[in-house]
Amino acid sequence: MFSRSISAAATLVALLGLAACQQQAPDAEGGAMFYRATCATCHEPGSSPQAPDLTRLAAVNGGQFPTDRVTRIIDGRSELRAHGSPMPVWGAILTPPEVRDLAAYLASVQQ
């Protein structure tokens, strides 16, 4: 009886590990598409109004890209006011994997 419980627990642990491995890695290329569709209007050079340059986030954060902070801003968990009005909450439009892909793209274009 005891060995069956251990065997069942080991199987459960293995299945949970397999499920965790099946989560896809962020897709920076897909994130580029979302950036052009949702962010570039305000964050590209020469846009009006000019929002912060998202390619310099690592530089202004001690060389580290603030993935968690960026993700929380994109999906709306952290409110951000730009030019006196809130930034759109893209988490209501993009799926969590799309938000993750967008953050991966921004991390890939840091100067």
Side-chain angles (χ1 to χ4, degrees):
M1 175 83 170
F2 181 71
S3 65
R4 260 195 276 168
S5 296
I6 291 175
S7 178
T11 301
L12 178 60
V13 168
L15 288 174
L16 290 173
L18 181 60
C21 290
Q22 290 181 355
Q23 183 180 26
Q24 291 184 331
D27 175 16
E29 198 170 306
M33 179 186 73
F34 297 118
Y35 177 83
R36 287 190 296 275
T38 61
C39 310
T41 303
C42 296
H43 290 280
E44 287 291 304
S47 61
S48 180
Q50 178 64 51
D53 180 355
L54 299 179
T55 66
R56 308 255 326 125
L57 293 175
V60 299
N61 285 286
Q64 294 284 78
F65 182 75
T67 303
D68 186 54
R69 180 171 172 243
V70 167
T71 302
R72 294 174 70 79
I73 290 169
I74 293 168
D75 69 16
R77 290 179 289 153
S78 289
E79 186 176 311
L80 179 71
R81 293 205 168 272
H83 307 289
S85 63
M87 188 182 99
V89 176
W90 296 111
I93 297 167
L94 302 175
T95 66
E98 290 168 338
V99 170
R100 186 189 65 223
D101 293 348
L102 180 52
Y105 168 71
L106 292 173
S108 75
V109 296
Q110 294 304 294
Q111 298 176 3

